[in-house]
Each structure stands twice: as structure tokens, then as C-alpha cells.
Amino acid sequence: MTIEAATRNKLIFQLAEVLPENFLLTTKEELRPYECDGLAAYKRLPVAVALPDSIEQVQQIVKICSQLQVPVVARGAGTGLSAGALPHEGGIVLGLSRFNKIVSIDSENLTAVVQPGVRNLAISEAASPYGLYYAPDPSSQLACSIGGNVAENSGGVHSLKYGQTVHNVMQVKIVTIDGELITLGSETLDTPGYDLLALITGSEGMLGIIVEIVVKLLPKAESVKVLMASFDSIEDAGHAVAAIIADGIIPAGLELMDKAAIHAAEDFVHANYPLDVAAILLCELDGDDIQLAEQVEKVDTLLKEKKAVAVEIADSPEEQARLWAGRKAAFSAAGRISADYYCMDGTIPRKQIAYVLKRITELSEKYGLRVVNVFHAGDGNLHPLILYDAGIEGELETTEKFGGDILELCVEVGGTITGEHGVGYEKIDQMCVQFNDAELTQFFAVKRAFDADSLLNPGKAIPTLHRCAELGGMHVHNGELPHPELPRF
Amino acid sequence: MTNITQNDITTALQDQVKQAISSNTPLSIQAGNSKRFYGHSIDENTNAKPLDLSSHTGIINYDPTELCATVQAGTKLSELEALLAQNNQILAFEPPHYPSGTNNQDTATIGGAIATGIAGPRRAYTGSVRDAILGVKMINGTGEIANFGGEVMKNVAGYDLSRMMVRSQGTLGVILSVSVRVIPQPEQNMTLAFDASQTEALSYFQELRKTNLPITATAWLNDQGLIRVSASEQVLKSCKSKIKGDEITNGGDFWQGLRDHTHEFFNKNRPLWRFSLPPASSSVIPLDDAQLLEWDGAQRWVHSNTPANIIQDIAKPHNGYATLFNSNSRIETHNNLSNMDIFPALEPALLTLHQSLKSQMDPQGIFNPNRIYRGL
Amino acid sequence: MKAELSTSLLNPADYEVAADALSSCVHCGMCNATCPTYQLLGEENDGPRGRIYLIKQVLEGNPVTNATRKHLDRCLTCRNCETTCPAGVPYAKLLDIGRNIVEQKAERSLKEKATRKLLRTVLPYKNRFTPLLAIGRVFKPILPAQIKSKIPRNVAKGKLPITEHTRRMLVLDGCVQPALSPDINTATARVLHKLGISLITQKKAGCCGAVSQHLSAEDEALVFMKKNIDAWWPEIESGVEAIVMTASGCGAMVKDYAHLLRNDSDYAEKAKKVSELCKDISEIIVNEDLSKLSITGKEKISWHPPCTLQHGQKIKGVVERILTTCGYELLPVIDQHLCCGSAGTYSILQPEISKQLQSNKISNLQQNNPNMIVTGNIGCQTHLQEISDVPVIHWIHLLDK
């Protein structure tokens, strides 16, 4: 998988010709910080890191790599949690961090033209003077880049009501592996031809390099209320989630945190979370005043009916920010209670939440590793964090096995291995569980249409049939277990 | 809820596709045929065989608390919508049914709605057809059955082929079943009407776009602006003071008429053009023919004999485009498809990408050939 | 994050700090979002996460070149990343350790060494810096622009009150501040006098040690620290209520004495006491009865919170509360969390990055047309004044009317 010396020399020579001095890193010392993204468990040293700041430079870089048959791994802020930006040992990292300009904000069409390296939150900050914001809000929104959001089809706390990235992007410009600049999508509500915009969203850097994005902006809600309900059992909280949805209410956000998550987050943000309960549910409602008042009343009643031991309603933006701060910091705050964590991202039907959480607890005992649960309950998008210590021999491997079990459990109950973090390198084996050969073959066909030589982020997201065959084992496919009559543990 | 019969039908369809692949015979995928007028005719230039999904019907899975319904592609929209209504839910994209024939037969299916991606009055407010797609089961270009997406709200495993099936008009595979996200049905609807020139209405719609009012449709025609608001009784009451116009009584019929093109506006014997423009386009399209605006002006309808190139030249400077939605009036027969380009031309590099994708996904070129663009 | 630190490179105390810092970092990258140099340079190596990674390599015994040193040098030590970090990584402590080792492993050019030595031998010494500044003022017209801009106008010290209150507090005179703006501590004394507090100085105390510490001359820094502790100790024993800091840079440093001297058997206890007594002037004033000052501020103010105050000492909203209570209108300032580029000796050693941050900061501060800009650290004050169209003063002056 590594590169031949002659190719390496040619590559670096040619890249240096098109890039200014500090736009190209080639020494081990400076490459090392690029060896992993937000998932530090996987590391690989790239041949070089290119840091262009113009589309022309991207085109030139890609053309050079294409001609020399050198893999290209695009990277934004490097906050991804599935090792999607894990470098290729024989390839370059194409860093888009210098594409950090908000090109324009159209307060009439409610759109913004942004470069891919712009931070997610920076868009909402820039749109704020116009009373607008960008809805998808991954927990890493302070740091993660919009280009990465498109590549992963990121969601967030507010996806339940306002959708994921795919629902909030109008147009994307990509540079293809041939160096061609192509516009996908448009400024109108639909675009002639195939919906390649939907296809590129979530394609994990494997179909093209995203160099410009037009995002949709929304008017800020007139009023917002956040309800925090405490529960003595996590199952009760799970039932409350189903009850709210069943009542025809789509909250802007509906998040669940278990005891471990509450404690970790509270330690950092001092959100005043109750520390003696099993779970809290954060429910954000928004809309115009009258509509909101109706909904708050309904949800408050529902929560209490479903055994909430306390419901706190935050009216002021400050109080709401306080409640959300803990949720948003929960992942990283886990760093306070554990050396390392492994964040899972399976999505399941809501009605399975309580069952799956119970099974995860059982698995936690089986593997002897702690789990923190903090997730988008309204979407059924779980984020169990497995706490481990990479310094302990073999613990990462145990963690991976545990994580794999959780994902296969998600598929078993009719869900998916990833809701918003992407497959990347991390979950590539579980893809064999979720998709059969025909489906994987279909993915290869799509890949060939864009990147026949498989130079864009190779080895990610879609496993080879060979890899799946080697893994073998028991496959759960579309919730249909082989031999369902057999007892399982 | 799937039964043996449906599995047999699936297998039969799969066999037909395999047969077509081996004999290199194009297929014309169809069910209700309610949107047959849309796009190039397949039968005309090829010896295509029909692939009929109209009996591939049934609700596979529907649990209102999951906000998702999985249905066979041949299931009638009317049947699906009736089931959802029993649970106070609706399809967010308000798909047109386009009833046709002498009895105004409603034959539209969910498969057709997904394949064409045509959405109704709600689209600008609660999302497009593609936005509601969670998963698709299809027969692919090698005759195999493949599942993409699923029934859960969020799913980013693998390329998003399920959403890409929307608007591909059967050219990339045969949709067997779909999982769509559904939304709660608002308690009540109210329609307000006000007198306004097109320019005035556009600027008022633009003003409303920056609010959070529960608007679910807007239209302008005959110097009248119309707004549909959907919410609880209390909220609707408060909206009356916030939105201009007087409440009209037959609002439901009006919006259905727009959705299904049964409104008298569409009863003309000239080609029907659909303009798709950025939502804030404030200019009036310089055509003498009568115009009907929807989606705050992002979708505009004109019956016009103006040549296609001139129509496209009008749309382009606004960063929009036009589609020859129905080459003749829909109420006429559809045997008169000209060689006119129905959809606007794609940039060369983009067209190449389309062709490459088509040839990878449908190597034999058997699925609805040329339906959207020649060569696809 | 997993790290295999080399025991031969680190003494046990540093080993513990470094191991703790590296294991609490989860590599999430949040820190990059608020890092001024990452924002400007768009390079992983120039953000906190990358620098932690670079330091990790060094501490694991990998070869070090001046590439690593270049990226560590570019760090402002503004500690914005520490405020942002959800995992609570003690970045600055790790950086100190990393810089010290890199300083030994990757030798600087003679010119660089000379500049840094010069800064260390002049700035911390009041009796060296003051005459040089006076000479500089005389020759200002013929000096190169880069130095010229760093020489502020002469400021009168002003009158000290004569006070004999029972409440007594020490104040650190410091090194650079008495030369550049001697009026700050006199104003502080007058304000505290009105509040019933006597402010006393201890002539033998001098530089807090921050200049040396940040130029990786840790031993030199320890000398300054111990000297100050010795100078203050008699007053501490006689019961001063607090050691007041009027420059937040010094405050952040003195509050760190406890950590830096924790393993010194002679000074650990005393350092702990000093750090406990150390208070920023805002922490003192906010608890007093401000009506005694009878101030009715009218001016529109842009407030620049120094990094050493908001990130170093984690004091936020306190000065704001004092000034609004006194009637001043605080204008909204965007990106208030970002460094102005002064950062101790940074403006001299990294002029390019410093200038960019300075101009970004000034345009944000001046956006809403303030009557003046106020801050709480002498470094920021002189740095901002260089290109500001309105006066830049210490906020304490607003209470001294």
C-alpha cells in the first residue's frame, strides 16, 4: 500500500511546483499530527499533506495525483469520528482548512455560499445578524467544517425537525478526480438530471473533492423552550420519547443522557443537571408563541405521565444554552473520566431504544468496559461511548469487538450501523453485515462512475467483497437473521 | 405483512428484468401511468416492453410512532394517504395524483411519485420528495434485488442511492418498495386570499418566508394571492391577524386542483411549461400567457407556444430553468411528443457524469432509456 | 490519547503533568476552533491539537527539528484552547514542558538566541527597562517603524493617596508596567482608598517571572518567583488581605506559583499561600460597595478582556459587571475571546501573526465607534494603542474620577 520512492519524489516535486512553500508538508515530524482525525485509535502517516487555498490549486493537485495514481484523502477540520480522514500510507492528505471564507449570505433567498473549511457554527454566527441560522448542528459544530458535514451527511441535535445536511444543502461544487470542476444541485428547489447532490452528500470523500457549498438558512424561531425531564430508569425515558412522537409532536431536539453522561458533562459545564437520576431527556420545542405554549403544555403532561420525576422548563436563552452546553460537550467531557473512548453511531427504530440499551448494558458487563450513553433519542440515533484505555494491552481490540456487537445489534433490530458519523475506516467491517454482495457491487458501480481508479479515499466506507468474505461469520441482513429459531446471546 | 403473493410478484418482476437483460430488450417501467406524459416517451423510439408494477402493492410496515411507512411501489397514493390519515399523518411532499381519463381515474402510485419526484403545494414548506425518502428496495441493472437506506430516520451507511432514485424516472433501476418519512397532520387548514399584482404577491411571500408562521402553501393567479396555513385552531386564529387576506371556504378544493392540475388554469391546449426559479426571484416572467405561481414564486406554470430555447433563455438569467412539463395539454392525448428538449441541457461535464453513472448502474441500458435525456 | 513517554527526557514531576495532559486529550479538535493561529494559518501543526501531537512526539523520544519549534513558537499561550477544551487538558502546562525540551533539542540560530536573551535581560528589570524606554522616547523620531510603534507616549505617575486603613493589600509593581504606564497602580491605590483599603507595595518585589517562563528559561523564572515570595512574606505574615494584580498577565503567573514551585521543599507552602492571596483587581472591586466611588460613567466603551484574564485566570464578566454598574455602556464586540496578538514578547518575536491579530482585534473593537477601549493588561494596552484611533486605557481609570 506504500508508495514507490520514484513516485514519491515525482509527486513531491510536482506538488511543490504548483504550491507555495508552506502549502506542502513532507517531513514525518510535521505529517504526524495528520496521521489521525477525531478518532485517534487509527493512525497512518501520509506521504504528504497539501494545504491549498484555491480551487485551481485543488484541481492541479488532483490532476497530479491522478496522473501518478496516488490516493487522495480529503480532510476538513479533522473532527470526524469514523476515521474517514485517516490517511492512506501511499497517498496524500488534501487539507481544506484554508478554505475558510464565507463567500456570501443571501438574506433574500435564505442561502449562504461557503467554502468547505468554514466551521459549521461560523455559518450560523455570520447569518445571525439577518435573523437566520444553519440548522444541522453536530455536537462538534464549534470546530467541524461544513465540507466534512457534507461528506458525512452530518446530523445533530436538531435533525429530528430540521433534517440532516442533505436536507439543508442546495448546491455543491466538486473537483472530480480528473480535475474537472462540476456543480451539483442549484439555487432552485429542484435540479434537472439525477440527484447527484444527494449522492455526493454522505459519500465520505470518495466521489469528489467538495470545494464550495451553498447551504440553506432558516429564520430563527420566534421562541424556544427547552424542557429537561429526569427519569429513574432509562427505559422510562425511552418510553417518553415514543409517547411524544406518537402524539404528533416533532420537537426541534429530543436528546437522552444516561447517568454516566450526566456526570461527565456536569463536571465540565456545570449545567445544573440532576446527579441522582438514571437519565435525563432534553426536549427543545420552537415556533411562534401560541403554538409553542400549546406544545410545551402537551409535552410537559406527557413527560409526567411517562414517569418523569421532575420537569424543568428553561425559558431564557441563557438557561437553554446552559442545558444544551452539557449535551454538546458530553463526548469530549468523557475524556475526563476515561483515557480514551470509542463512539458508536447506530440508529434504531425508536420502539427498540429501551431494549437495545438493556442489551448494551449486558454487553458492557460481558466485556468489562464502561459505556456512556448520550444520544439523539428522537431520531433513534444512539451514541454509546465505550470507555477504554489504549495504553492497556488488548483493550482497543476488546473495544472494537464490543462496538461491532452493538452495531450488529442495531442492524438486527432493523436499524443501521451509522446515522451520522459515516462508515469511514472504523465501521467498514460492519458494512458487510448491513449490505449483501449485490448491494456492495452496486456501490462499486457508483464509485467507478466517479473515480474509476479508486484514488479518492480508497479503503473507506465500502468494503471489498473479498474483505466481507474473509470476515464471514454470521450475517444479519436487513433485520433478517439466518436461523431465527436459534437462541442468541 | 408481506404475503406470498407479493413475493411471487416480486420474483416475476425480477425474472422479467433478467430476461430483458439477457435479451437486451428495453423496459418501460409503469404502474398507474398517471405521469406518463412527463419526459420523453420510451415506447416511441424503441421496442420497449412494459414492466408493470401496478399489482406490486401493499403496506409492508407502518408504525405511526416511527414516522415511517414502507410500501410496495405499486401501492396507490390514495390508499397510502387514507391509511396515514387514519393515524393523523400525511406525506410531507403532497404528491400530485393527476387523475385522468373520462372518469378522472386516480391511478397514481407511490413508486411513480418517487421516480418522478414531482411534489405538490407543500413542497416549499415541508420538503421535497427526496427529502422524505428513507429507503428503497430495487431491482438493479444486473437483475438483482438490492436494499438501500432503511426505515430509520438517519442512515449514512453507503452511498445514498435511495434518495438518488428520486427523479431518476426509472432509468437507474426498478423501484420495488420505498420507505418514506411521514409527518403529523395539522389539526386544521385555512386558506386566506388577497388581491395583489404578481409583483406585490411575490414581495409579500418573500416577507413571509422570513417568519416562522405555519404556512404550507402559497399561490398567485388572476391577480389574487392565496396562502394556506395549517395548525391548531388557536394558532390559526392568531395567524389571521398576522397574515393578510380573507378566509375562503373552498380552500381544500383549490389546493387539490393545483396539486392535481385539475384547476381550470391547466385546461389549455398549449404546451405547459414549469419554471423553477430561486425562491426570492422577484421578477415577472416576460410572457404574455397567463401565469400561475406556487411555492412563493419558486415554481411557476405557463401554457405557452413560445419556443423552448426562448423559454430557457428567460429562466437562465434568474439562475433557474424550465421544463416542458406537458408537451400538450394533459387532458389531450399524449401521442404528440415532439423532439423538443423537455428538460434543460446539462453542462457537458455533468452530462458525462450522468452517462457514466447510467452505464455503470444499467450496463445493458434497459431501464426506461432516453426518458429524461437521450443516452440515459 | 495513548502516549509512551520517555522517562529519560522528563523529571518525575513533569512526567506526571505530561502523562495526565496527554491522557485527558481525546483528540476531538474543538480547541482548533478558537485558536487564533489555527484560524489564521489553517494548519493542524499551528493549532493546539497539532501542537499537543508535536509535543507528544518529542516526549516519546522522536527526533526534533526546528519545524516543531517553529510551530510551538507560534503559539501565543493565550490559553483560549483551555477554555474551549471539554476534556480539561492543561495545555499551557504541557506546552511549557514541551518548549523546554525542544529548546534543548533543536538549537536556535545565534540571532534568535540573542534576541530572546536581550528580552530576558531587559524587560523583567525595571531599572534596565525604564532608562532604555526613556532613551527610546528621545530617539523615537529616528527609530525603525517596527520599534517606534512599540514606544508609547510618556505618562505621569499621578499622586498616591496617603492612607491608613485597617484593610491592607499588597500590589505587585511589576517590571514593564511602571515604565510604560505608571499611572495604573496609582489609580488603583486611589480607587481602593475610596473603598477603605490601603494598597502597599514592596520595593524588593519585581518581575513576576512570566517573561522568562514563556521564553523557556524556567530556572530564571524560578529566581524571580522566589524573590517575590521572599519580598512579600513579611507582609503576608502580618496579615495582608490579598496580593493585587493590575496586569492580568502577572496575575495568571502569580496564581501559577503554587504549581510551578510545588516540588520545592522550601517554597511549596509559601507559593501556595501566595497563589491563594493573588487576586486580579477586578476580583477585589466586584465585592465592594461601588456606590462609594460615586461614578456615573457616560462614555461608550469597548472592553477587551485579556487572554490572561479570561482564559488564564478564567475571570469572565466581572469587569463588565463593574463597569455597567458604574453606568458605562459596554458595546458589543465580536470574537471577544480571541487574542490581540500582544501575548508578552510575542509581538516582537512573531510580528507577522501578531500584526494580523492586532488589526483584526482593533477593527472588531472599533466597529461600534467607542469613545475608548479599555483592557486589563499592560501588554494588550500598549499593543492595541499602537494602531487604535481612540485611547486604550486600563479599566481602573474609569473608576478613578
Side-chain angles (χ1 to χ4, degrees), chain B residues 24 33 101 123 164 243 270 300 309 366 370:
Chain B
N24 217 350
N33 275 328
R123 189 265 171 260
M164 198 178 66
I243 303 172
R270 270 169 293 163
R300 306 183 187 192
N309 58 333
I366 54 158
N370 308 324

Side-chain angles (χ1 to χ4, degrees), chain A residues 438-481:
Chain A
E439 289 149 359
L440 294 172
T441 306
Q442 191 85 68
F443 289 144
F444 304 146
V446 172
K447 172 74 169 169
R448 275 197 303 275
F450 282 80
D451 175 23
D453 298 330
S454 198
L455 294 175
L456 293 168
N457 212 6
K460 308 283 174 59
I462 316 291
T464 59
L465 296 181
H466 181 70
R467 186 179 182 121
C468 290
E470 273 191 348
L471 279 167
M474 186 188 67
H475 280 196
V476 185
H477 188 66
N478 296 320
E480 295 150 20
L481 273 171

Side-chain angles (χ1 to χ4, degrees), chain A residues 29-30 32-38 43 51 75 77-79 97-98 100 139 142-143 268 332 335-336 339-340 390, chain C residues 1-2 23 26-30 33 38-39 41-45 49 53-54 57 65 68 71 84-88:
Chain A
E29 197 177 351
E30 290 185 288
R32 197 75 72 180
Y34 285 90
E35 71 182 0
C36 58
D37 59 13
K43 299 179 172 72
L51 298 162
R75 173 182 164 119
T79 57
S97 49
R98 287 180 179 158
N100 59 1
S139 293
L142 172 70
F268 171 53
S332 318
R336 290 167 183 259
D340 300 272
Chain C
M1 209 162 55
K2 188 181 163 184
S23 83
V26 293
H27 211 253
C28 66
M30 294 284 203
Y38 183 82
Q39 285 186 1
L41 304 168
E43 223 260 70
E44 183 74 16
N45 286 291
R49 183 174 62 171
Y53 223 85
L54 288 169
Q57 290 185 75
T65 72
T68 294
H71 297 300
T84 309
C85 178

Side-chain angles (χ1 to χ4, degrees), chain A residues 132-170:
Chain A
L132 304 171
Y133 76 109
Y134 175 65
D137 57 343
S139 293
S140 57
Q141 70 174 147
L142 172 70
C144 63
S145 69
I146 185 70
N149 288 178
V150 175
E152 303 296 324
N153 190 14
S154 305
V157 163
H158 291 100
S159 302
L160 178 57
K161 185 166 177 182
Y162 297 107
Q164 288 174 272
T165 306
V166 70
H167 303 107
N168 289 278
V169 167
M170 306 279 295

Side-chain angles (χ1 to χ4, degrees), chain A residues 99-383:
Chain A
F99 280 79
N100 59 1
K101 311 274 174 315
I102 293 176
V103 181
S104 62
I105 290 180
D106 182 342
S107 60
E108 293 300 302
N109 275 304
L110 313 189
T111 57
V113 182
V114 297
Q115 293 186 332
V118 168
R119 294 178 300 113
N120 171 301
L121 189 63
I123 302 174
S124 289
E125 284 168 356
S128 181
Y130 306 95
L132 304 171
Y133 76 109
Y134 175 65
D137 57 343
S139 293
S140 57
Q141 70 174 147
L142 172 70
C144 63
S145 69
I146 185 70
N149 288 178
V150 175
E152 303 296 324
N153 190 14
S154 305
V157 163
H158 291 100
S159 302
L160 178 57
K161 185 166 177 182
Y162 297 107
Q164 288 174 272
T165 306
V166 70
H167 303 107
N168 289 278
V169 167
M170 306 279 295
Q171 180 184 301
V172 161
K173 282 186 184 160
I174 61 164
V175 170
T176 66
I177 191 63
D178 305 320
E180 199 98 48
L181 181 67
I182 298 184
T183 303
L184 310 178
S186 69
E187 292 172 41
T188 61
L189 297 188
D190 38 43
T191 311
Y194 295 144
D195 198 338
L196 300 184
L197 178 62
L199 184 66
I200 199 83
T201 310
S203 65
E204 306 201 23
M206 294 179 65
L207 302 182
I209 307 291
I210 296 159
V211 291
E212 192 186 273
I213 301 145
V214 180
V215 297
K216 214 189 276 181
L217 300 174
L218 298 179
K220 286 189 213 167
E222 191 177 307
S223 321
V224 178
K225 301 262 184 198
V226 178
L227 288 80
M228 178 174 74
S230 314
F231 294 88
D232 279 339
S233 93
I234 201 157
E235 286 81 13
D236 287 346
H239 293 141
V241 170
I244 292 171
I245 304 289
D247 206 51
I249 295 165
I250 309 286
L254 191 53
E255 300 284 306
L256 201 153
M257 292 168 77
D258 73 359
K259 191 163 193 163
I262 298 168
H263 281 252
E266 181 63 21
D267 221 28
F268 171 53
V269 294
H270 312 295
N272 273 344
Y273 290 157
L275 296 173
D276 54 347
V277 298
I280 57 171
L281 203 56
L282 291 170
C283 176
E284 180 169 306
L285 299 165
D286 64 4
D288 77 83
D289 285 332
I290 298 171
Q291 204 177 355
L292 188 61
E294 277 179 2
Q295 289 199 347
V296 169
E297 201 186 307
K298 264 195 200 171
V299 172
D300 187 35
T301 315
L302 277 172
L303 288 168
K304 284 170 184 155
E305 272 172 27
K306 293 291 163 186
K307 299 192 198 162
V309 288
V311 180
E312 183 189 322
I313 301 174
D315 298 308
S316 73
E318 295 75 26
E319 273 177 87
Q320 291 164 7
R322 174 174 65 77
L323 289 183
W324 279 126
R327 166 61 188 90
K328 296 231 164 180
F331 285 5
S332 318
R336 290 167 183 259
I337 53 172
S338 171
D340 300 272
Y341 64 74
Y342 201 77
C343 175
M344 311 312 296
D345 176 41
T347 305
I348 52 168
R350 286 177 203 87
K351 59 173 172 275
Q352 302 284 3
I353 289 176
Y355 168 70
V356 169
L357 290 177
K358 202 177 105 221
R359 290 281 302 273
I360 290 176
T361 311
E362 287 163 16
L363 287 169
S364 166
E365 280 159 18
K366 175 183 156 189
Y367 285 102
L369 291 168
R370 288 180 295 161
V371 177
V372 172
N373 279 297
V374 43
F375 61 91
H376 312 303
D379 293 319
N381 186 190
L382 306 177
H383 288 318

Side-chain angles (χ1 to χ4, degrees), chain C residues 212-229:
Chain C
S212 308
Q213 180 75 18
H214 296 147
L215 292 173
S216 306
E218 217 172 29
D219 294 342
E220 208 172 85
L222 290 173
V223 174
F224 284 113
M225 293 185 236
K226 291 176 183 174
K227 200 177 150 210
N228 287 344
I229 295 174

Side-chain angles (χ1 to χ4, degrees), chain B residues 31-35 53-59 71-84 91 95-97 104-113 178:
Chain B
N33 275 328
S34 64
K35 289 175 274 287
L53 279 99
S54 56
S55 54
H56 197 250
T57 60
I59 309 293
V71 291
Q72 305 283 30
T75 309
K76 280 193 183 157
L77 278 176
S78 51
E79 190 190 326
L80 173 61
E81 286 172 333
L83 175 69
L84 295 177
L91 293 170
H97 293 211
N104 260 345
Q105 264 181 306
D106 182 355
T107 57
T109 63
I110 183 72
V178 292

Side-chain angles (χ1 to χ4, degrees), chain C residues 78-123:
Chain C
C78 68
R79 299 170 71 182
N80 202 332
C81 53
E82 288 188 17
T83 302
T84 309
C85 178
V89 176
Y91 170 82
K93 292 193 171 95
L94 181 68
L95 181 71
D96 271 352
I97 294 169
R99 275 179 169 166
N100 276 329
I101 294 173
V102 172
E103 199 69 26
Q104 296 152 24
K105 297 251 161 194
E107 215 180 335
R108 291 182 189 277
S109 69
L110 288 173
K111 192 183 159 213
E112 268 186 60
K113 277 188 187 167
T115 315
R116 295 166 76 91
K117 178 83 183 165
L118 184 70
L119 289 170
R120 273 165 34 216
T121 41
V122 173
L123 294 183

